[in-house]
Amino acid sequence: MTAAVRVRALDVTLDGTHVLRGVDLAAAAGEWVNVIGPNGAGKTTLLRALLGLVPFDGEIEIDGLRGRTDKHRRAARARKLAYVPQTPVIPPGMLVADYVLLGRTPHRGVFAAETANDRRIAVEILERLDLGGFWERTVQSLSGGERQRAVLARALAQQADVLLLDEPTTALDLGHQQDVLELVEALRRERRLTVIATLHDLTLAARYGDRIAILAHGRVAETGPPTEVLTVQSIAAHFGATVRIVDDPEGPVIVPTAIAKNGDQP
């Protein structure tokens, strides 16, 4: 299969800290790869490197596009990559409608007015995210979960071929976690969308997506199908957690187990 995203020997150093060390990772067109790992492993830095937002050594290729320099390449990258950050920067007083329509900017330019097609796409996505009645609300007036869905709506309105999700279910209740991930899965199948997501919830990471990559100490420690990567041994080694794993037809369920005071499992 053709690789939509390919990373080779990626190194990132930030403020004197070597965050990523020789990372190799690829995602085929239409594939969903979940990147998991303990806090500080470099997951967000990996996504920011793909976006060209941090300096790096090594090679990143997005749908045949390499490099990170001039304005033309940045514009081309914006049409190929959409991003949902953990902590988005939202201008004060911005309406949900205007915020979501920002996702159409790579297709029409910064100063061009939105078209009827832009508005149609934005409305459709808001409806699918259960935000149809929020068009004239300010983003700041939304709850945490509603705001997270508005951020996802802006990214989906971009209609890029590659979607980068940094903890997309943060602040969402269980029902909306499922709604968001099911929508991403539906769009992936409809449009052969390539998805790279970071997730803390290992059960969600197992149930949504094709492959898991464990990032630990700045390196890809393991990669493969969820049933092969998410084992009691690997979770203990990389997360320092004691769990049991319940086999389920839709993917393994990761259950934390209590540790008795004497250090033995109950």
Side-chain angles (χ1 to χ4, degrees):
M1 297 179 68
T2 303
V5 177
R6 189 181 299 279
V7 175
R8 297 185 183 92
L10 179 67
D11 270 68
V12 176
T13 299
L14 300 175
D15 297 325
T17 300
H18 204 170
V19 181
L20 297 178
R21 303 167 179 267
V23 170
D24 293 321
L25 185 67
E31 186 180 20
W32 183 337
V33 178
N34 287 318
V35 180
I36 65 172
N39 292 337
K43 301 184 296 295
T44 295
T45 299
L46 172 60
L47 297 188
R48 288 175 59 80
L50 291 174
L51 290 158
L53 298 178
V54 296
F56 62 84
D57 293 315
E59 184 177 303
I60 293 176
E61 182 177 338
I62 308 293
D63 195 21
L65 181 68
R66 302 181 186 180
R68 55 187 188 277
T69 52
D70 58 31
K71 181 178 179 181
H72 173 73
R73 286 185 179 274
R74 288 196 299 271
R77 187 183 292 265
R79 288 189 292 272
K80 293 178 181 293
L81 280 173
Y83 177 46
V84 176
Q86 283 191 59
T87 53
V89 176
I90 301 171
M94 176 165 275
L95 299 179
V96 171
D98 295 330
Y99 183 68
V100 175
L101 284 168
L102 286 176
R104 301 299 302 159
T105 303
H107 300 280
R108 56 180 169 80
V110 176
F111 300 108
E114 69 266 11
T115 66
N117 185 55
D118 292 332
R119 294 176 71 84
R120 179 190 61 77
I121 290 169
V123 168
E124 178 182 315
I125 290 169
L126 285 170
E127 291 286 350
R128 294 182 75 168
L129 284 168
D130 197 24
L131 292 172
F134 293 76
W135 188 258
E136 296 297 330
R137 291 268 300 272
T138 63
V139 180
Q140 278 79 9
S141 73
L142 305 180
S143 70
E146 291 164 348
R147 190 178 304 119
Q148 183 74 2
R149 282 180 280 145
V151 173
L152 178 61
R154 179 201 52 75
L156 294 177
Q158 198 170 324
Q159 292 190 318
D161 293 329
V162 179
L163 180 62
L164 306 180
L165 304 173
D166 197 0
E167 298 297 340
T169 57
T170 298
L172 298 182
D173 59 51
L174 182 60
H176 282 113
Q177 286 182 19
Q178 187 175 35
D179 289 345
V180 163
L181 295 175
E182 289 288 347
L183 174 58
V184 171
E185 174 63 15
L187 290 172
R188 179 173 79 108
R189 295 187 181 280
E190 290 170 15
R191 295 174 36 210
R192 206 169 177 233
L193 185 68
T194 303
V195 180
I196 298 179
T198 70
L199 288 169
H200 275 304
D201 189 313
L202 301 187
T203 298
L204 288 179
R207 289 181 172 238
Y208 293 92
D210 304 304
R211 189 158 48 93
I212 284 178
I214 298 181
L215 198 61
H217 305 294
R219 304 178 186 276
V220 175
E222 298 184 47
T223 184
T227 52
E228 295 180 8
V229 172
L230 292 177
T231 65
V232 169
Q233 294 77 16
S234 69
I235 292 171
H238 301 301
F239 293 88
T242 304
V243 301
R244 63 187 177 89
I245 297 178
V246 178
D247 290 330
D248 184 89
E250 295 186 9
V253 178
I254 315 303
V255 182
T257 57
I259 299 179
K261 291 182 179 180
N262 63 4
D264 297 327
Q265 294 184 38

